[in-house]
């Protein structure tokens, strides 16, 4: 598993996106059941896996209109597998995206849909430029802390969740002795 260097900046922390007129949605762990290697235990089914808070993009959208949001990924494991976001490709792979770590720690997993798969460490102040050709997924490796990650992307990028829902990513990340261990996943 290749871990590439992560550029970083700094800014006042802690960070929280709050205010009026924000959009928000929550994903429960049970809704991610098919994405984990092992079945979701009943006590986790109704827990919040992650919450996404975003600033509604200006309307009408034009070619350059941007979305901005923050994902709060909760810490839990499923038979040792760290919590993660569903992950997606962009519907239009010409559109790139910025992610930036705000709090907590974990990984950003990239996959080109073929043989190239790698991750970058995510931490407060980390900056991640996501080329639109890569599917991307966040993984929270902290035992207790919520991982907060900001994102900025073009409204025209769109989301292709179905490709990941069908076959997942080629690797999974597990807590083994309080260390992240990557394991290949059969496609
Ligand atoms: Fe994206």
């Amino acid at each position: 598993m290749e871990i590439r260097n992560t550029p970083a900046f700094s800014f006042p922390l802690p960070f929280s996106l709050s205010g009026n007129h924000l959009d928000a949605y929550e994903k429960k762990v049970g809704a991610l059941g098919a994405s984990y290697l092992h079945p979701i235990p009943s006590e986790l089914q109704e827990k919040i896996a992650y919450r996404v808070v975003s600033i509604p993009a200006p309307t009408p959208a034009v070619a350059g209109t941007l979305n901005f949001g923050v994902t709060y990924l909760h810490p839990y494991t499923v038979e040792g597998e760290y919590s993660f976001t569903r992950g997606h490709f962009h519907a239009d792979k010409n559109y790139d995206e910025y992610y930036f770590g705000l709090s907590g720690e974990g990984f950003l997993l990239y996959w080109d849909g073929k043989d190239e798969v790698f991750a970058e460490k995510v931490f407060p102040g980390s900056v991640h430029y996501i080329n639109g050709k890569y599917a991307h997924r966040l993984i929270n490796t902290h035992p207790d802390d919520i991982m907060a990650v900001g994102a900025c992307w073009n409204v025209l990028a769109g989301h292709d969740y179905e490709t990941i829902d069908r076959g997942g990513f080629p690797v999974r990340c597990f807590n083994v002795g309080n260390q992240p261990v990557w394991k290949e996943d059969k496609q």
Side-chain angles (χ1 to χ4, degrees), residues 88-90 96-97 99 130 134 136 153 157-159:
H88 61 267
F89 285 96
H90 288 170
D96 301 345
E97 181 167 8
Y99 273 18
I130 304 169
Y134 295 114
H136 33 293
W153 71 103
H159 294 93

Side-chain angles (χ1 to χ4, degrees), residues 8-11 13 100-106 122-127 148:
F9 66 104
S10 63
F11 53 87
L13 291 170
F100 37 99
L102 298 168
S103 63
E105 62 185 41
V122 179
F123 50 87
S126 65
V127 181

Side-chain angles (χ1 to χ4, degrees), residues 9-42:
F9 66 104
S10 63
F11 53 87
L13 291 170
F15 178 94
S16 178
L17 182 58
S18 59
N20 297 325
H21 312 300
L22 294 173
D23 289 335
Y25 72 90
E26 293 176 339
K27 181 78 76 179
K28 291 184 176 177
V29 179
L32 295 163
S35 301
Y36 284 93
L37 182 61
H38 297 285
I40 307 289
S42 55

